[in-house]
Amino acid sequence: MASRQHINTGRSQSQSQGSENRLFIKGGKIVNADGTEDADILIEEGIIKEIGKNITIPSGIRTIDAGGKLIIPGGIDPHTHLQLPFMGTKSVDDFYIGTKAAIAGGTTMIIDFVIPEKRESLHDAYKKWRGWADKKVCCDYSLHVAVTWWSPEVKEEMENLVRCQGFNSFKMFMAYKDVLMVKDHELYEIFEHCKKLGALAQVHAENGDIIAENSKRVFSAGITGPEGHELSRPEDVEAEATHRACVLASQVNCPLYVVHVMSKSAANVIAAKRQEGCVVFGEPIAASLATDGTNYWNQCWRHAAAHVLSPPLRPDPTTPGYLMDLLAQDDLQLTATDNCTFTHEQKKMGCRDFRKIPNGVNGLEDRMSVIWEKGVHEGKMDASRFVAVTSTTAAKIFNLYPKKGVIAVGSDADIVVWDPEKTRTISAKTHHHATDSNIFEGMTCHGVPDYVICNGRVCVDQGQLKAVQGFGKFVSRKPFAPFVYDSLKEKDEKKKASMIPVQRSGFDGEMVSKTTSSKQSQHSTTNGDGNKPSNGEGSQATNGNNEGQANVGRSNGSGIPTGPDSSSNSRSTVKLHAPPGGHSSGFW
Ligand SMILES: NC(=O)NCCC(=O)O
Ligand SMILES: [Zn+2]
Ligand SMILES: [Zn+2]
């Protein structure tokens, strides 16, 4: 593994205060996304100061013995919803409980979502989220902003958030019709704007229109329980939206990030689009990688409702393994959790109508362990790939690298001493979430964090959780992340090069239809290949007003008039010849 060095521009000395401001980790195997190395680590003031075999150990320094263990970059979870106001209630893991649970499981940074209501200022919503999070977070955090409505003001606010507040990612919902969903033409414009700003566009990809109709139909058929949730949003509905988002984003060469990939077919769309050369990233979550939608048919309503999230888990039990295979071979790129927890009491809001069950599940505490178990322990990926999909790739995509996501000199000391042999059994009885169920209940996982170090502070100490409320900091992020944007330069050039009009000497063939009405003298033509003719010289009389033009029969380019008026008695169709220079009359 090449030794790394970089200048850290992050946390100041005073910000990094922990109980120990120096720490020495000895005897472990450092695992980074690009390789492993047996070496010791010296940490000072929250930053990795030295990595090597023969470090002079300062006297009085605390030493952690990592013999036989792996030393990995702390996990980064780029998709959480802590204390989110949603579906008439609020998710119960707040920024304190949620980040504490994260640390307990080996995650040292989260990226949550600011989700403004329709018509709410993005900036006001951002301030609100900072007000909730700053005083509570136990580890570093950052924020994406959701664009839930579209206007010139929103456009300007996005620009301000990128230029002045450290944002580089915006999420759009293609579901939750009438609440959070934006329409296709808005998505197109938002993608275009993201591209201009150097931001990453994220999508919740499900077809909200179809879901709205399906859920009425499923409910009317007498299905009121949690299985109705999956039946009204089958995987096609996710795959269609995923494909549509890719198509829309690629029109403007905007990089795209698909959150919570839940199905084989949506994952296949992403893999295929990447093959085609689209810059698109797919994020399966702990839930989709480790459990499945058969749970919605469980006899126990409480159990089934605890698994309700959108898009839903898939009933095909081979889905998690399939997604893990795609993740292992980089058809999918990184993992998150979409942690958005509700208690049974809250889930009961939908006890007579599945449409009212608050959507969301846990994952923040267990992601690292379940991915280790299903990915590494089951032999699908090695430890370096595990580091990539749980930390490094998120750091690169969201432009946090190399401050985060790597064990390197100059990086933040966000480090986990990981015991790959130790096991633990997941249970709501012992987890650190505020909710009373756990979708991974009873699962025994290899891979347990012995020590979790956040910015140099030991927050899990020999398995004991010692997280400190308010210790984490907001991390701002710059636009144009090289990992995302560098490969787009060439695509932009290609697109530009393809946008050259064909220089033609003029049209010398026979022209097509002309309609005249008894009251108006006007006509329409095409240039013979279906292009819109240009306005102007050489044209015969037009009345220059749109209403008049709307009466004009349209040609499909084959000479056959297709307009609604072509058979009208008051109009006649005559043949025209091309005007000199190929110009034809005003048309549209
Ligand atoms: N996923 C989910 O069901 N709840 C959180 C909101 C979202 O990400 O769609
Ligand atoms: Zn979502
Ligand atoms: Zn989400």
Side-chain angles (χ1 to χ4, degrees):
M1 181 171 60
S3 71
R4 303 175 188 78
Q5 194 135 13
H6 67 89
I7 307 298
N8 187 286
T9 53
R11 180 178 295 245
S12 70
Q13 196 161 316
S14 61
Q15 284 177 312
S16 70
Q17 281 315 305
S19 48
E20 305 99 351
N21 58 9
R22 289 190 309 183
L23 204 58
F24 187 62
I25 307 173
K26 72 165 176 98
K29 183 184 283 297
I30 298 173
V31 182
N32 275 311
D34 61 354
T36 62
E37 178 185 19
D38 291 317
D40 304 330
I41 301 172
L42 178 65
I43 297 164
E44 271 185 27
E45 304 296 349
I47 304 296
I48 298 172
K49 194 74 196 288
E50 236 182 300
I51 296 175
K53 282 272 204 219
N54 303 304
I55 300 173
T56 314
I57 310 167
S59 61
I61 192 169
R62 178 171 178 194
T63 298
I64 289 175
D65 182 1
K69 311 281 164 65
L70 305 178
I71 306 174
I72 59 175
I76 299 173
D77 184 345
H79 184 167
T80 66
H81 302 285
L82 302 180
Q83 59 189 93
L84 173 70
F86 191 51
M87 294 184 74
T89 183
K90 189 164 76 172
S91 59
V92 277
D93 286 338
D94 67 7
F95 280 95
Y96 171 57
I97 295 167
T99 53
K100 193 162 60 131
I103 291 169
T107 289
T108 56
M109 180 172 181
I110 62 159
I111 314 182
D112 205 89
F113 289 85
V114 174
I115 305 189
E117 287 174 22
K118 282 199 192 288
R119 313 270 147 243
E120 185 180 2
S121 144
L122 273 53
H123 190 263
D124 290 355
Y126 155 63
K127 285 284 170 203
K128 198 158 66 186
W129 255 260
R130 287 292 302 269
W132 293 337
D134 282 3
K135 53 186 185 286
K136 288 190 181 173
V137 284
C138 302
C139 64
D140 283 357
Y141 82 106
S142 194
L143 292 166
H144 316 282
V145 174
V147 179
T148 54
W149 62 293
W150 189 229
S151 73
E153 293 76 32
V154 170
K155 195 171 175 183
E156 206 178 308
E157 284 201 297
M158 284 173 71
E159 184 154 357
N160 185 272
L161 286 167
V162 171
R163 296 206 201 289
C164 313
Q165 310 291 352
F167 283 86
N168 66 17
S169 46
F170 295 96
K171 179 165 84 170
M172 282 63 69
F173 291 92
M174 300 169 81
Y176 306 122
K177 190 176 180 183
D178 300 329
V179 185
L180 302 172
M181 183 173 124
V182 289
K183 300 198 170 81
D184 284 0
H185 70 94
E186 295 170 325
L187 258 186
Y188 185 104
E189 288 182 33
I190 298 166
F191 287 161
E192 198 171 30
H193 197 47
C194 283
K195 176 68 188 302
K196 186 188 133 200
L197 298 176
L200 178 63
Q202 301 176 283
V203 284
H204 170 135
E206 280 187 297
N207 187 318
D209 287 316
I210 294 182
I211 291 164
E213 294 311 312
N214 277 357
S215 43
K216 278 188 251 168
R217 202 164 43 79
V218 170
F219 188 75
S220 309
I223 298 170
T224 59
E227 66 280 14
H229 184 68
E230 204 284 333
L231 291 171
S232 59
R233 21 201 347 148
E235 58 175 277
D236 271 11
V237 169
E238 183 189 355
E240 182 279 326
T242 304
H243 185 267
R244 184 157 35 99
C246 291
V247 171
L248 289 169
S250 69
Q251 301 313 304
V252 290
N253 273 353
C254 177
L256 183 68
Y257 180 108
V258 183
V259 302
H260 48 41
V261 177
M262 303 300 287
S263 64
K264 288 182 179 180
S265 37
N268 288 342
V269 169
I270 293 164
K273 284 290 170 189
R274 285 175 63 83
Q275 283 282 324
E276 283 173 25
C278 293
V279 178
V280 53
F281 306 103
E283 172 210 85
I285 58 174
S288 61
L289 290 163
T291 185
D292 65 56
T294 56
N295 289 291
Y296 299 129
W297 278 264
N298 193 291
Q299 282 295 311
C300 169
W301 188 92
R302 181 191 180 116
H303 177 100
H307 290 77
V308 168
L309 84 157
S310 294
L313 294 161
R314 301 305 171 187
D316 173 354
T318 63
T319 304
Y322 187 88
L323 296 180
M324 188 62 85
D325 289 340
L326 264 54
L327 182 66
Q329 62 210 33
D330 203 35
D331 284 328
L332 297 171
Q333 286 61 55
L334 74 167
T335 64
T337 61
D338 193 14
N339 192 97
C340 185
T341 52
F342 298 101
T343 62
H344 176 55
E345 209 47 42
Q346 290 172 299
K347 291 269 180 184
K348 262 174 31 190
M349 290 166 71
C351 64
R352 288 193 181 80
D353 182 347
F354 66 84
R355 295 171 294 186
K356 297 191 177 131
I357 301 170
N359 290 192
V361 298
N362 64 289
L364 200 34
E365 180 164 357
D366 302 321
R367 179 183 63 130
M368 302 287 277
S369 288
V370 300
I371 292 167
W372 185 273
E373 179 66 24
K374 305 279 179 188
V376 185
H377 192 72
E378 288 190 9
K380 294 191 170 192
M381 61 175 72
D382 64 11
S384 284
R385 181 65 188 162
F386 172 79
V387 165
V389 302
T390 56
S391 179
T392 312
T393 305
K396 288 180 176 173
I397 288 176
F398 295 107
N399 221 0
L400 295 159
Y401 188 89
K403 175 179 165 63
K404 305 283 188 190
V406 61
I407 295 181
V409 172
S411 294
D412 285 359
D414 289 347
I415 294 172
V416 175
V417 177
W418 187 255
D419 187 338
E421 301 306 330
K422 208 177 266 175
T423 60
R424 72 184 181 95
T425 300
I426 298 171
S427 175
K429 292 194 181 72
T430 49
H431 72 198
H432 295 86
H433 293 281
T435 186
D436 47 7
S437 63
N438 189 311
I439 58 166
F440 309 113
E441 185 73 34
M443 194 182 289
T444 298
C445 295
H446 292 79
V448 173
D450 280 350
Y451 297 89
V452 179
I453 297 157
C454 299
N455 284 289
R457 179 192 282 267
V458 182
C459 292
V460 171
D461 197 339
Q462 288 184 290
Q464 289 292 107
L465 183 58
K466 295 178 175 173
V468 177
Q469 177 154 208
F471 178 68
K473 293 282 172 282
F474 176 75
V475 181
S476 61
R477 296 174 289 123
K478 290 200 169 75
F480 295 104
F483 187 75
V484 174
Y485 268 86
D486 280 3
S487 68
L488 279 163
K489 285 177 194 148
E490 206 182 309
K491 290 182 207 311
D492 287 342
E493 290 304 316
K494 270 195 188 149
K495 188 150 248 172
K496 224 175 180 175
S498 72
M499 290 288 182
I500 295 169
V502 176
Q503 300 300 316
R504 295 187 176 85
S505 56
F507 184 81
D508 57 2
E510 196 178 8
M511 293 295 283
V512 286
S513 63
K514 175 193 174 190
T515 56
T516 54
S517 78
S518 48
K519 291 196 181 139
Q520 300 161 319
S521 171
Q522 54 184 279
H523 63 265
S524 71
T525 60
T526 72
N527 61 7
D529 59 7
N531 289 349
K532 289 179 203 173
S534 59
N535 234 341
E537 328 99 66
S539 68
Q540 307 218 357
T542 64
N543 68 1
N545 93 28
N546 289 335
E547 288 90 346
Q549 288 171 15
N551 288 333
V552 172
R554 292 179 181 179
S555 163
N556 62 9
S558 63
I560 303 164
T562 56
D565 301 327
S566 57
S567 62
S568 162
N569 285 341
S570 62
R571 294 171 178 84
S572 62
T573 300
V574 296
K575 282 190 174 168
L576 286 175
H577 290 279
H583 292 294
S584 54
S585 63
F587 185 90
W588 299 98

